[in-house]
Amino acid sequence: MDPFRTHGAISWPELHTSDAAAAADFYKAIFGWELEAMDMGYGMYHVGKIGGIPMSGMMKAPMDDVPPCWILYITVDDVDAVVSRATELGGQNFVPAMDVPEVGRFAGIADPGGAIIFVMKWDQLGPAVDYTQSFVTPGQFSWFQLQTPDVEGSISFYTQLFGWNTEVNNMGTGPYNIIKIGDVGFGGVIPPMDEGIPAHWAAYVTVEDADATAEAVQANGGTVVAGPFDVETVGRMVAIQDPQGAHLLAIAYVPMPE
């Protein structure tokens, strides 16, 4: 599955932050990302790469009152049709559909629970990202997870909007709803881990050693929010916050059977 060409695939994580250059240096130190900076006219855009393949972007937040955060772009065949359908299903279009020259057409959507996503019809596509290797490639985004108080309602919204499939796995902490395109799982939907947490999407980055990652985060001015801790049959993970305040999760996966 090439996420840039597959309708419904999460194709591009992007950091909106107060200091993109400093954030890029932090993630290079933590995850080993190769960096490329491009002048987009409205500021510098920092691209994170693994093995020369672009897989994330970092930029100054368009609005100063928005706290630093990672956002997710989902590939669609028709941005305007998806926006229209999202509003029919109870979502909100908070960033109107617009074109970015030489990139594509995009829009911002809040789902009925308030979690934010962006949708994009890509014009120019770079090298295909091989997400089948994301679980064994350190530094690559490998899993995306929605925390929401209304699990069933959110699953209904996204499956109708993007055609996702779902599968329930019984974990030690309870049922876990895996979201799929075809038979390819790429994320999950769970209730909030703590009371009062608003609905939001989170992203996981593959690492070789979660403990070493936690040490590197602290050595480079970041914060370890939780962990490292083990999730049975899944891996060892750590929740981190970069120096500007954005959150990510890093995970060293349990080796998968061949």
Side-chain angles (χ1 to χ4, degrees):
M1 178 185 74
D2 178 355
F4 290 103
R5 296 168 174 81
T6 303
H7 177 84
I10 296 176
S11 51
W12 192 251
E14 184 176 79
L15 175 66
H16 290 185
T17 186
S18 56
D19 189 337
D25 288 340
F26 171 81
Y27 288 110
K28 177 181 179 180
I30 302 306
F31 297 133
W33 291 351
E34 307 143 21
L35 300 177
E36 178 183 357
M38 301 180 293
D39 189 346
M40 302 296 288
Y42 51 80
M44 299 302 292
Y45 193 86
H46 302 263
V47 177
K49 301 180 179 182
I50 292 293
I53 304 298
M55 35 68 70
S56 67
M58 292 157 279
M59 61 179 283
K60 188 177 187 308
M63 295 177 288
D64 292 335
D65 60 345
V66 175
C69 61
W70 282 92
I71 65 172
L72 303 176
Y73 286 87
I74 298 176
T75 298
V76 295
D77 296 330
D78 186 326
V79 169
D80 298 87
V82 168
V83 167
S84 176
R85 181 60 173 151
T87 56
E88 291 175 1
L89 294 169
Q92 294 184 331
N93 175 210
F94 71 94
V95 176
M98 65 183 74
D99 296 313
V100 179
E102 299 184 359
V103 177
R105 185 167 178 80
F106 81 101
I109 295 170
D111 70 23
I116 291 172
I117 57 170
F118 284 75
V119 293
M120 175 76 82
K121 167 67 174 176
W122 299 96
D123 284 346
Q124 296 201 13
L125 305 175
V129 178
D130 185 1
Y131 275 101
T132 63
Q133 297 299 308
S134 63
F135 296 104
V136 295
T137 305
Q140 187 162 312
F141 284 87
S142 51
W143 197 253
F144 306 98
Q145 185 170 269
L146 173 64
Q147 285 191 45
T148 178
D150 185 4
V151 171
E152 294 303 320
S154 295
I155 289 174
S156 175
F157 174 81
Y158 286 106
T159 54
Q160 291 182 78
L161 190 61
F162 297 125
W164 293 349
N165 302 316
T166 60
E167 174 185 316
V168 178
N169 276 14
N170 290 316
M171 309 285 287
T173 55
Y176 187 88
N177 297 274
I178 296 176
I179 48 179
K180 298 181 173 184
I181 293 176
D183 59 356
V184 178
F186 61 91
V189 183
I190 63 171
M193 293 184 178
D194 292 302
E195 188 175 346
I197 294 179
H200 70 281
W201 281 95
Y204 290 77
V205 177
T206 300
V207 296
E208 290 183 343
D209 186 325
D211 295 84
T213 298
E215 292 175 4
V217 166
Q218 294 173 319
N220 286 276
T223 303
V224 173
V225 178
F229 56 89
D230 295 311
V231 178
E232 187 177 359
T233 74
V234 177
R236 186 165 176 80
M237 66 180 67
V238 57
I240 69 172
Q241 186 177 37
D242 69 26
Q244 289 71 43
H247 292 260
L248 270 182
L249 296 113
I251 179 167
Y253 291 97
V254 171
M256 297 184 179
E258 298 183 0

